[in-house]
Amino acid sequence: MKSSIKTDSKGRKKVLNVCDEPCAIEKGMRIIGGKWKGSIIYHLKDEPVRFNDLARMLGGASKKMVDQRLKELEIQGMVIRKVINERPIAVTYELTELGRSALSILDQLREWSESNNIELNANSL
């Protein structure tokens, strides 16, 4: 359903067909748009990765942040957590089919960012 804005004879605006719940774009962004989530998914694209290696790949993310985002992605069905060694405990993460389906979107976003020389500064954070 498409929303639209209508102006009445007194100049008051009214929205028709209001979206009462998140739209499809908002739903997708809640899964892959959270801080570090897209990067985590992208780093898991080739093979399972151990937790500490993934944390190193992300550089600026704390281990606590990486752990939180991985738990969220696991709950959302995007990644699978596998214990590969009991003592000392070693864990790997890999993408599910749902997680793999987001890779083309993330790759397009990467290409868009690179081709437009997107720079982050204090005002854009």
Side-chain angles (χ1 to χ4, degrees), residues 110-118:
R110 181 192 55 77
E111 289 173 6
W112 172 80
S113 180
E114 289 174 354
S115 67
N116 289 286
N117 297 314
I118 302 297

Side-chain angles (χ1 to χ4, degrees), residues 10 26 45 64-65 71 75 77 79 84 92 107 112-113:
K10 295 181 180 177
E26 179 63 28
K45 70 183 182 336
K64 181 179 178 183
M65 178 66 72
K71 284 178 182 172
I75 290 168
V79 300
I84 58 172
T92 63
D107 202 43
W112 172 80
S113 180

Side-chain angles (χ1 to χ4, degrees), residues 32-102:
I32 66 171
K35 187 153 185 157
W36 299 108
K37 285 183 176 182
S39 296
I40 288 170
I41 293 167
Y42 200 75
H43 285 300
L44 294 176
K45 70 183 182 336
D46 295 324
E47 61 188 354
V49 178
R50 291 177 67 153
F51 176 82
N52 285 328
D53 293 335
L54 184 59
R56 284 184 201 99
M57 289 176 182
L58 294 171
S62 68
K63 287 187 175 185
K64 181 179 178 183
M65 178 66 72
V66 175
D67 184 57
Q68 288 174 343
R69 295 302 175 252
L70 282 166
K71 284 178 182 172
E72 292 169 8
L73 288 167
E74 187 178 10
I75 290 168
Q76 294 161 335
M78 300 290 285
V79 300
I80 297 171
R81 178 184 187 268
K82 290 185 178 177
V83 177
I84 58 172
N85 194 6
E86 294 294 328
R87 293 192 190 253
I89 192 163
V91 177
T92 63
Y93 290 87
E94 64 184 281
L95 293 176
T96 63
E97 285 305 311
L98 179 61
R100 292 204 165 284
S101 69

